[in-house]
Amino acid sequence: MEIPAGISAGKESSALLTAAAFPSESQPTPTKLVQITVLKAQDLKTIKSDVSVTLVRVEYNGALMGDSSKADVLPNGTANYNFMTGFECSPDGPNCLDDIAQKPVLLTVIEVLQKEKRQKEKTVPLGQAVVDLLPLLQGQCSFKVSAPLYAVPTSPLESLQPEAKGGLEVTVCTKEPLLSATELSNGNLLSVTLEAAYSVPEAFAPTGPLQNYMACLQVPAVGEKEFSLLFKNGILKLAGEKEPLPRPKKWPLANITAPGAMNIPNSFIVGGPYEDEDGELNKREDREFRIQAESMKRIVWDMERRCYLDPAAVVVLQKRIAECQYWPVEVCRMSVASPSKGKTSKADKGDEDKQIFFHGVAYVNMLPLLCPGVKQIRGAFHVSTYQDSKVFEKTRSQHSVFQDLRSQLSLSKEGPGTPGISTPLSRAVPSKTQKEEKEKITKDKDSNRRMSNAPKIQLSDATAEAENVTYLSLDGQQYIEAGTFLVMEIKLDKALVPKRLREELTSRVKQMIPPRPPLPPRTAGAKKAMEDYHNCVTSIAIAILSEYHELFGKRLPDQGAIDHQTLEEQKCQLNFELNSSGKYFAFKEQLKYTVVKIVREKYLKTTAFETQEEFQAFLSELYVYLVDQMHVALNQLLSEEAPSPAPLFRTTEEQLWLFAHEAEVNKDYKLASLYHQQRVAQDQCNIQYWLDYGAFCLLLEETTKAQECFQQALSLDPHHIQSLLLCGVVAVMLQHYEEAEIFFEDACCLEPSSIVAWTLSGLFYELQNNNIQAEMAFREAKKLLQVQLTKERSIPEAAQGEGGKKHISAACVRSPNPGPEECLPERVPDSSADKVPEAAEPALACAAPEEEATAPDAALKAPSPVSGCSQPPCTIFMKTVEFLMKVNAIQFVHMALAHELLSLQGGPSCAYYLALAKTYLLKEDFSKCEECLCEAIRIDYMNPNVWAQKGHLCYLKRDFGEAKECYERTISFVEDAVDMHFIYLRLGSIYLEEKEYGQAKQTYLLACKNSASCLTWLGVGIACYRLEEMVEAEDALSEANALNNTNAEVWGYLALICLQGGRQLEAEQCYKYTIKLGLKNDALLREIRAAQQRLGFGNPAL
């Protein structure tokens, strides 16, 4: 049946290829031809030295694809076949994508024996090879393999080594990919490997009738369908050596007669430390039990089943895992009736073949697969008795999976293999006499009755048996008594939730710092203050001497000394001239500045004295010291150039906003107020600055001050919608209801397409018990929202073809590398707000768009792959909540959330619970906040904003361990949370507290790259200092000081660095500002003083 160069070579192959090339019109879905070409065999003589003529047989999915023509074996063991055949792959046909995933092409090399006279030609299988078709599901259209050829035993008693003794060169190709680009990128491949069951019940014995040990796991598919992964023919092994590692995984097929061909190519069970597993027996105390169980009696499968998941099935899989984290893996034992020529009665057949014993279940926690980047679960799972009620309670599975597999579990006349897969080469189990068979069955039935008195699952079609409920049976109870556990692996080709790739940050901090003009080398310490005093005294002395010379002239040395009376007269006259000209006052002012520096630098006195006695004592001490130093200075002539002025740094508007919001979150309201005032001072005509300042005042519950800010913004633009709405909100808080009504009406008139304006008006009217007006306003807002969503849905999807840049999946809404603007905290929205767009692009390609680029109606909730297209549409109240949360109008937030709760039909959404949790967190009601976050996680497990909020909650509760886990999970999502800046800050502080300085440095550097502030660079500086990277630490701390020179902790660490570098003057200066600014970190202050004591400098008081 050779087909060289496209010439037909036999009826079977010809018909098959023709059917594939010209599919009939009745086929519901297009089919694709998978073409298989067997080129040649090699090293055949290593299997059998005298082989001369062979042919190759190709089988797939239980069907015979054809035999090649006979080929002579060359002396070097090579046989050239050039045999081409193929099969059709169709989603609805017998060879679907799941078959491609888990069933290989079976190639059998058959030896053709020389026929004797008047006898038919004899053939004997020589070797088998398998070709894995998985590359076709990975985007390849063709590939070539050299499949290992394994010898076929000549008799059932012959045992062969699994090593390959030959090979087959095979090419596989398709005209077009089996998967489209969308299916390839969004689909997935699930593989489940069942390794073994350990610590099995004592009742499992190798003697007696044949038993089939089975396990099954159902994987959800699209809709209500379930795909069953059935593992049969577990091998019961007695106590002995442990299973070797690594060992190959096996195909779930029965028609492979060569032992070595059962192994899946390049697929191994590698094991690993118990502590790294995801199962239940991974604690240190379980180690001894695991080691002992693995060398005792066990059931071994080592079998891998695969399943292709199309994009829709992937979404369903994610949803099912999020809804129920535990999945049942059922195990059982079933008697196998050996085939015989005798007949058995129907009753015996039902008892023998369709009764399940030792029905157990293991619960596999699938939730780790929803963690970012996780693709695999492997571990040990306890087996317990199967009970319908308990299984339903834990897994929502309503009935046993074995009830759905009745036909597959009927193993009579099938042998131990998978039913429906048989070939002419399949070897049947050796049969015995009918009498022996009946005796064996009778003994098996008796033993089973003794083991369990409770009813088993009868897999028949009778209605009464279909309604049977499985009760706790004694045989299933033996799993618990024996401590049985399954070891299995569940693996995905791609993670369900992508993980963000760690950005490669430069090791040198200086490269990340923006260029700044160098500061002048200005140092100020006790020594420098004294030098300035000396210089000032000298300068004044020179000036007074010049005045003396002008009055009395210069007296030469040879003129002799002046008498005392003359000197007194000249002194009085000089004093009169200095006082009358004002020079005396000028000299005193010059000297006063240097004295003040000595007081501050030498004596560290910057605050008022508590008592008058203390003040007088200090003045006496200071006077003595100054007179002594004056006498020293009169003999010195020192001068220095005037210091160059420092360049003025102007903080940008974005930086000031970030610093203000940072101070708000850290509850440093005094500093936050200062930054807001600086913003307003820079540009008093900027409406946004006034709105942000007013929102800050609302956070402090300074309603009157907030009203002034909003009114100031409104005075700049009387038609500004946000200013009108906020003035109305504040008027309600101050109970100025007439003013509030005017503001809300004005906003609705000026911007009739604003959803938020109408919704706030409705909330206000409801507060006034004006239900008619409220209903009208809500109806108008809902109508506008419907128009907005309709327009967004009607936008052509052709934009997806423009490079795929505008529409991305729900799992990757934001860029993994956001710029600084994206990471800044949310502000009060601008004036373009929430108007219904004339032509706006939808935010998500696969969901009803819920947000616009501009905000108060812009929904900031993070869409997740679990919810996907099933997310509830955005409501007018959640849009309003988004706006109100940004301005800290908590009173109106609760009103809107109450309406949201009443308007939802399917229950509260994740966004609802998240907003409610934020309000409780602001009030520091941690228990209610935690309840809301638990509900939000239950609804949307992969929402980074929820995990971020839970991290903030744990951080404020000082549960740093839990906070760390939440923050690490948040930053590992591809999609950023809203407040990444504070996540980095708090996670970095936890790393510093736990002395993980390398992690802290990387985390703070991420924060610096996205939105640098004094605190982010301070974190980098502390981490570098603890890592003894002094140059980088000083660079980072200098940048922190440039952004905020009033942070005492920055000065404290700068003092430590100067102390370590032996820089005395700078160490004194930094220490002075550390004390002056009131360092609250007692541990840092003790560390500084200990270093000063050890090094002998840095503290002028020493």
Side-chain angles (χ1 to χ4, degrees):
M1 296 180 65
E2 185 177 354
I3 311 178
I7 301 175
S8 177
K11 295 181 179 179
E12 287 189 23
S13 299
S14 176
L16 182 61
L17 292 172
T18 304
F22 303 96
S24 64
E25 296 180 358
S26 61
Q27 291 178 336
T29 55
T31 60
K32 297 179 182 179
L33 175 65
V34 178
Q35 183 174 296
I36 302 164
T37 304
V38 184
L39 300 175
K40 63 181 178 179
Q42 296 176 329
D43 300 328
L44 291 179
K45 291 188 179 294
T46 58
I47 300 177
K48 187 177 180 181
S49 59
D50 59 348
V51 62
S52 59
V53 180
T54 60
L55 59 86
V56 65
R57 176 170 295 170
V58 182
E59 301 170 73
Y60 183 72
N61 198 11
L64 179 63
M65 310 302 298
D67 293 350
S68 71
S69 59
K70 292 180 287 187
D72 295 330
V73 180
L74 301 178
N76 61 356
T78 301
N80 296 309
Y81 302 116
N82 292 321
F83 173 62
M84 182 173 63
T85 183
F87 63 89
E88 295 175 347
C89 175
S90 172
D92 303 321
N95 302 318
C96 60
L97 294 178
D98 285 322
D99 295 323
I100 298 291
Q102 67 178 339
K103 296 177 182 178
V105 175
L106 179 61
L107 308 171
T108 306
V109 176
I110 301 174
E111 180 184 8
V112 181
L113 301 177
Q114 294 181 354
K115 65 179 179 178
E116 300 178 1
K117 294 180 179 181
R118 298 181 181 179
Q119 290 185 356
K120 292 184 179 180
E121 193 174 60
K122 291 184 179 181
T123 59
V124 177
L126 189 66
Q128 284 187 326
V130 292
V131 176
D132 193 354
L133 299 180
L134 192 61
L136 295 179
L137 298 181
Q138 297 172 337
Q140 297 187 32
C141 291
S142 64
F143 61 93
K144 182 178 181 181
V145 294
S146 180
L149 187 65
Y150 300 91
V152 175
T154 56
S155 69
L157 300 178
E158 181 183 2
S159 60
L160 297 175
Q161 297 297 325
E163 289 81 11
K165 294 186 176 180
L168 284 174
E169 285 192 11
V170 184
T171 60
V172 180
C173 64
T174 59
K175 290 185 179 180
E176 56 181 320
L178 296 185
L179 301 177
S180 65
T182 302
E183 291 174 327
L184 188 62
S185 60
N186 297 332
N188 213 327
L189 187 71
L190 174 69
S191 62
V192 179
T193 303
L194 182 60
E195 299 180 17
Y198 296 100
S199 188
V200 297
E202 289 295 330
F204 288 5
T207 59
L210 294 176
Q211 303 289 343
N212 189 0
Y213 299 97
M214 297 179 291
C216 190
L217 168 68
Q218 279 194 333
V219 178
V222 180
E224 299 298 327
K225 298 179 181 179
E226 299 283 346
F227 186 83
S228 299
L229 301 178
L230 181 63
F231 299 87
K232 292 186 177 184
N233 310 316
I235 301 173
L236 180 63
K237 293 187 178 182
L238 299 179
E241 294 184 359
K242 296 173 60 176
E243 297 297 318
L245 289 174
R247 62 184 185 272
K249 299 179 181 179
K250 293 181 172 56
W251 293 106
L253 303 177
N255 58 336
I256 300 177
T257 55
M262 286 294 297
N263 300 335
I264 302 177
N266 303 318
S267 185
F268 298 93
I269 298 171
V270 296
Y274 301 135
E275 294 79 7
D276 295 342
E277 294 179 352
D278 304 294
E280 299 165 345
L281 295 169
N282 53 4
K283 305 293 189 297
R284 184 175 300 176
E285 55 269 21
D286 301 320
R287 181 178 180 82
E288 185 177 350
F289 170 68
R290 290 282 298 272
I291 294 174
Q292 183 180 1
E294 289 176 1
S295 59
M296 302 301 290
K297 185 165 57 176
R298 58 198 179 275
I299 301 171
V300 178
W301 285 274
D302 288 346
M303 189 180 297
E304 181 182 76
R305 296 294 300 262
R306 301 169 180 164
C307 173
Y308 170 72
L309 303 174
D310 60 19
V314 172
V315 174
V316 173
L317 179 67
Q318 294 172 339
K319 182 179 179 182
R320 294 285 182 87
I321 296 176
E323 290 174 349
C324 186
Q325 67 184 84
Y326 291 102
W327 285 21
V329 179
E330 297 183 39
V331 294
C332 71
R333 190 181 81 172
M334 187 174 182
S335 299
V336 178
S338 298
S340 62
K341 296 181 180 180
K343 296 182 179 179
T344 58
S345 66
K346 292 183 179 180
D348 289 341
K349 186 176 181 180
D351 289 341
E352 295 161 8
D353 298 338
K354 296 190 176 184
Q355 198 171 59
I356 286 181
F357 298 94
F358 293 95
H359 192 193
V361 62
Y363 301 103
V364 180
N365 185 6
M366 302 285 284
L367 203 56
L369 290 179
L370 294 187
C371 296
V374 175
K375 298 188 292 185
Q376 174 180 318
I377 296 174
R378 183 184 181 274
F381 303 93
H382 280 297
V383 179
S384 57
T385 308
Y386 186 93
Q387 289 179 277
D388 284 337
S389 58
K390 186 174 181 180
V391 172
F392 177 75
E393 178 185 351
K394 199 160 187 177
T395 69
R396 296 293 183 267
S397 179
Q398 297 183 352
H399 53 79
S400 170
V401 65
F402 290 125
Q403 292 181 5
D404 300 331
L405 302 174
R406 295 172 184 171
S407 60
Q408 295 187 39
L409 295 177
S410 180
L411 302 176
S412 62
K413 300 182 182 180
E414 294 275 3
T418 304
I421 302 179
S422 61
T423 69
L425 295 174
S426 299
R427 299 181 179 271
V429 176
S431 62
K432 296 186 179 182
T433 63
Q434 184 177 358
K435 182 178 180 180
E436 293 173 338
E437 183 68 24
K438 287 186 176 180
E439 291 177 358
K440 186 180 295 184
I441 293 171
T442 304
K443 292 178 181 178
D444 181 43
K445 289 162 64 178
D446 293 341
S447 63
N448 285 333
R449 290 193 188 98
R450 286 194 298 270
M451 278 184 259
S452 173
N453 297 322
K456 320 303 191 285
I457 295 180
Q458 299 292 332
L459 300 179
S460 68
D461 296 329
T463 304
E465 295 180 7
E467 296 174 356
N468 182 36
V469 180
T470 305
Y471 298 97
L472 175 61
S473 57
L474 296 177
D475 53 7
Q477 183 68 21
Q478 293 184 42
Y479 286 126
I480 301 176
E481 296 172 357
T484 306
F485 62 91
L486 290 178
V487 177
M488 62 186 303
E489 175 191 74
I490 299 175
K491 187 176 181 181
L492 291 163
D493 188 50
K494 293 175 288 190
L496 293 177
V497 182
K499 184 176 182 179
R500 180 204 311 273
L501 297 176
R502 173 71 67 166
E503 298 180 15
E504 297 181 1
L505 298 173
T506 175
S507 58
R508 290 286 298 175
V509 178
K510 185 178 290 186
Q511 296 178 5
M512 295 185 60
I513 299 176
R516 298 179 181 276
L519 290 169
R522 177 181 297 172
T523 58
K527 184 177 179 181
K528 180 66 168 57
M530 191 51 56
E531 290 176 355
D532 291 344
Y533 176 71
H534 291 170
N535 293 338
C536 188
V537 169
T538 304
S539 174
I540 293 174
I542 293 173
I544 294 175
L545 186 59
S546 298
E547 289 291 328
Y548 178 85
H549 290 159
E550 289 181 5
L551 290 174
F552 308 109
K554 292 185 177 180
R555 188 176 182 84
L556 299 177
D558 55 359
Q559 292 180 350
I562 303 176
D563 59 273
H564 179 71
Q565 184 177 358
T566 304
L567 284 176
E568 286 296 326
E569 292 175 356
Q570 291 179 350
K571 179 180 177 182
C572 291
Q573 188 177 353
L574 178 62
N575 284 334
F576 175 78
E577 290 294 333
L578 292 176
N579 279 294
S580 60
S581 63
K583 293 180 180 179
Y584 177 82
F585 179 78
F587 292 152
K588 187 176 70 172
E589 286 299 315
Q590 292 179 27
L591 195 61
K592 184 171 73 173
Y593 175 72
T594 59
V595 172
V596 169
K597 288 180 64 177
I598 289 176
V599 172
R600 291 178 175 176
E601 302 292 346
K602 172 65 179 176
Y603 294 96
L604 303 179
K605 298 293 184 181
T606 57
T607 58
F609 294 92
E610 296 181 356
T611 61
Q612 187 68 21
E613 292 78 7
E614 183 182 355
F615 177 58
Q616 292 298 329
F618 173 72
L619 287 181
S620 300
E621 180 184 357
L622 178 63
Y623 179 77
V624 172
Y625 179 79
L626 291 177
V627 170
D628 291 342
Q629 294 298 322
M630 180 188 66
H631 291 152
V632 173
L634 290 176
N635 296 321
Q636 296 178 356
L637 296 175
L638 300 176
S639 62
E640 288 186 0
E641 297 180 359
S644 57
L648 294 176
F649 295 138
R650 181 177 177 85
T651 311
T652 64
E653 184 271 333
E654 290 81 6
Q655 286 178 318
L656 283 176
W657 164 248
L658 174 64
F659 299 164
H661 194 63
E662 196 176 61
E664 288 177 24
V665 174
N666 293 331
K667 298 188 177 180
D668 189 351
Y669 298 128
K670 183 178 180 181
L671 183 61
S673 179
L674 177 63
Y675 283 128
H676 279 295
Q677 290 170 8
Q678 287 183 15
R679 293 181 77 211
V680 171
Q682 282 187 6
D683 186 1
Q684 295 187 7
C685 296
N686 191 304
I687 297 176
Q688 190 66 46
Y689 297 173
W690 287 106
L691 295 182
D692 292 337
Y693 192 14
F696 168 70
C697 294
L698 282 183
L699 179 66
L700 301 184
E701 298 182 353
E702 297 178 357
T703 312
T704 304
K705 196 170 183 179
Q707 184 185 39
E708 294 175 1
C709 295
F710 295 147
Q711 289 179 351
Q712 180 66 29
L714 190 61
S715 67
L716 295 173
D717 182 3
H719 302 296
H720 191 255
I721 304 302
Q722 278 65 41
S723 301
L724 283 169
L725 293 177
L726 291 175
C727 285
V729 168
V730 174
V732 172
M733 292 180 179
L734 295 174
Q735 299 182 0
H736 299 164
Y737 298 119
E738 294 182 2
E739 294 181 10
E741 185 174 7
I742 295 173
F743 287 131
F744 287 134
E745 284 186 4
D746 197 11
C748 293
C749 292
L750 288 173
E751 194 60 68
S753 61
S754 173
I755 299 172
V756 170
W758 284 108
T759 307
L760 285 176
S761 296
L763 293 175
F764 166 73
Y765 286 126
E766 187 179 61
L767 193 65
Q768 296 295 300
N769 295 322
N770 190 341
N771 296 328
I772 297 177
Q773 287 278 61
E775 185 63 29
M776 185 201 71
F778 291 148
R779 191 185 309 116
E780 184 67 23
K782 291 176 182 178
K783 184 173 68 174
L784 291 171
L785 177 63
Q786 188 62 37
V787 171
Q788 175 180 320
L789 295 179
T790 302
K791 286 187 177 182
E792 289 173 346
R793 291 194 188 101
S794 64
I795 294 175
E797 296 182 357
Q800 293 181 353
E802 299 176 4
K805 296 180 181 179
K806 295 183 179 180
H807 297 277
I808 53 179
S809 67
C812 308
V813 173
R814 296 182 187 172
S815 168
N817 301 317
E821 300 81 4
E822 298 177 31
C823 298
L824 290 178
E826 293 296 332
R827 313 183 187 187
V828 177
D830 60 16
S831 59
S832 59
D834 54 334
K835 294 183 283 187
V836 177
E838 295 181 4
E841 294 186 3
L844 298 177
C846 66
E850 300 180 13
E851 58 185 2
E852 293 180 73
T854 55
D857 288 341
L860 295 178
K861 64 180 179 180
S864 79
V866 169
S867 50
C869 301
S870 64
Q871 284 187 352
C874 184
T875 65
I876 60 172
F877 300 109
M878 288 311 299
K879 282 183 173 290
T880 306
V881 166
E882 291 286 348
F883 172 73
L884 295 171
M885 286 297 296
K886 294 171 192 172
V887 298
N888 302 310
I890 305 302
Q891 177 182 346
F892 270 85
V893 168
H894 283 292
M895 294 168 59
L897 288 177
H899 272 278
E900 175 73 6
L901 187 60
L902 294 174
S903 65
L904 291 175
Q905 297 179 354
S909 64
C910 177
Y912 167 83
Y913 282 116
L914 188 58
L916 191 59
K918 289 180 179 178
T919 62
Y920 287 134
L921 197 62
L922 285 175
K923 296 179 179 179
E924 297 186 355
D925 191 343
F926 296 147
S927 60
K928 290 185 178 179
C929 178
E930 187 171 8
E931 292 176 4
C932 294
L933 290 176
C934 288
E935 289 297 318
I937 290 174
R938 182 186 60 80
I939 295 172
D940 193 349
Y941 190 81
M942 291 181 290
N943 190 329
N945 290 314
V946 178
W947 288 105
Q949 203 64 29
K950 185 176 180 182
H952 296 330
L953 171 65
C954 297
Y955 187 88
L956 295 177
K957 291 168 61 178
R958 305 194 66 80
D959 185 359
F960 296 130
E962 183 70 18
K964 176 182 173 184
E965 292 181 7
C966 294
Y967 287 146
E968 288 176 340
R969 180 186 290 266
T970 303
I971 65 175
S972 64
F973 282 105
V974 171
E975 180 188 354
D976 278 339
V978 173
D979 52 351
M980 291 300 295
H981 181 79
F982 303 103
I983 294 170
Y984 288 136
L985 278 180
R986 289 176 170 176
L987 180 58
S989 69
I990 294 173
Y991 283 140
L992 289 179
E993 188 71 22
E994 296 180 354
K995 299 183 179 180
E996 297 180 25
Y997 301 124
Q999 288 283 355
K1001 177 182 175 182
Q1002 292 300 320
T1003 303
Y1004 278 118
L1005 283 175
L1006 284 171
C1008 291
K1009 185 171 185 179
N1010 291 333
S1011 48
S1013 69
C1014 172
L1015 296 184
T1016 60
W1017 284 116
L1018 172 61
V1020 176
I1022 295 173
C1024 291
Y1025 176 78
R1026 299 304 180 191
L1027 293 171
E1028 299 183 358
E1029 300 172 357
M1030 296 301 175
V1031 176
E1032 292 188 358
E1034 185 172 359
D1035 291 339
L1037 292 169
S1038 298
E1039 181 67 12
N1041 187 262
L1043 294 174
N1044 180 11
N1045 61 2
T1046 62
N1047 190 300
E1049 198 164 350
V1050 174
W1051 286 109
Y1053 277 100
L1054 284 171
L1056 282 175
I1057 290 175
C1058 294
L1059 287 170
Q1060 297 288 347
R1063 293 140 62 183
Q1064 181 176 350
L1065 291 177
E1066 294 167 270
E1068 287 185 5
Q1069 179 193 28
C1070 295
Y1071 177 69
K1072 174 194 67 175
Y1073 283 111
T1074 302
I1075 300 300
K1076 180 179 179 179
L1077 295 170
L1079 179 64
K1080 298 178 181 178
N1081 189 338
D1082 295 333
L1084 177 60
L1085 189 59
R1086 288 193 298 270
E1087 185 179 0
I1088 295 172
R1089 287 173 175 169
Q1092 292 171 342
Q1093 291 284 349
R1094 185 175 66 256
L1095 298 173
F1097 65 89
N1099 186 349
L1102 292 176

